[in-house]
Amino acid sequence: MKKTDLITRAGFAKLQAELDHLWREERPETTKKVAWAASLGDRSENADYQYNKKRLREIDRRVRYLRKRLESLKIVDYNPQQDGKVFFGAWVEIEDEAGDTLTFRIVGPDEIYGRKDYISIDAPMARALLKKEVDDEAVVRTPTGEKVWLINQITYEKTDINQSNKT
């Protein structure tokens, strides 16, 4: 399944910061280590050389991916017209029939890693919630059957719009 090419402004900045860190700091350091280890002689038994050469390939692979991905992403900022309905970037609080609640933000697939409170716009839960309002029910199809969720609250981070005016 193809990833959706949407991202929040904060998510884009985080990916850009990762790219900058890898390219300007980590890659030059690793290149120096490879050169130093290579100067010691026999590379076949040199663990420093082998490890850092592998790390350099990993950095280069991630840099290529990030450059390509950042070009294809579309930043989505908060828009006042979104208020009251679930759209990209929304923080949503939902409740099931048992009274259990979940709160999460609907973001792009590149932003969910390392965050338990973010879900991808491509997730079945997010798709079921899109365009719904507070007190609407959303039916989510899961491998174990359908589950009904009630929307309790919808909020947006309105700081995104202020940042976009500065650029």
Side-chain angles (χ1 to χ4, degrees):
M1 188 170 127
K2 186 180 182 309
K3 287 186 193 179
T4 301
D5 289 336
L6 301 178
I7 193 165
T8 62
R9 187 163 297 279
F12 188 87
K14 188 175 177 182
L15 290 181
Q16 185 67 54
E18 179 187 355
L19 174 61
D20 289 345
H21 172 75
L22 287 172
W23 187 249
R24 296 176 199 270
E25 295 175 33
E26 200 164 334
R27 191 177 193 289
E29 285 176 25
T30 306
T31 303
K32 285 179 191 170
K33 289 176 186 174
V34 167
W36 170 79
S39 72
L40 298 177
D42 188 7
R43 296 175 186 175
S44 64
E45 294 183 18
N46 186 330
D48 281 331
Y49 176 81
Q50 291 175 352
Y51 171 79
N52 287 300
K53 193 73 174 165
K54 180 182 178 203
R55 180 66 188 131
L56 195 57
R57 285 192 301 272
E58 291 168 355
I59 292 168
D60 287 344
R61 188 177 313 117
R62 183 69 178 162
V63 164
R64 276 191 308 275
Y65 171 79
L66 287 171
R67 284 184 173 159
K68 189 175 179 183
R69 189 71 181 140
L70 286 168
E71 284 178 16
S72 66
L73 289 171
K74 180 179 185 282
I75 297 172
V76 177
D77 287 318
Y78 163 77
N79 186 323
Q81 294 174 330
Q82 293 172 280
D83 283 340
K85 288 194 176 192
V86 178
F87 289 107
F88 186 84
W91 280 98
V92 184
E93 180 186 290
I94 57 175
E95 183 177 347
D96 66 6
E97 292 113 352
D100 297 327
T101 61
L102 291 174
T103 303
F104 51 80
R105 186 175 189 199
I106 299 173
V107 296
D110 298 285
E111 300 177 79
I112 61 173
Y113 301 101
R115 297 286 307 247
K116 295 200 182 303
D117 57 344
Y118 279 13
I119 67 168
S120 170
I121 186 82
D122 297 329
M125 173 71 81
R127 293 286 181 200
L129 292 171
L130 286 176
K131 300 181 183 174
K132 300 266 194 282
E133 299 178 23
V134 172
D135 294 330
D136 282 355
E137 287 185 349
V139 179
V140 182
R141 288 180 184 82
T142 67
T144 58
E146 291 184 346
K147 188 159 183 170
V148 179
W149 294 89
L150 178 70
I151 300 173
N152 289 338
Q153 186 178 10
I154 304 165
T155 56
Y156 288 91
E157 289 183 11
K158 295 172 175 75
T159 55
D160 287 350
I161 195 165
N162 296 331
Q163 291 173 349
S164 66
N165 290 337
K166 293 177 184 173
T167 56

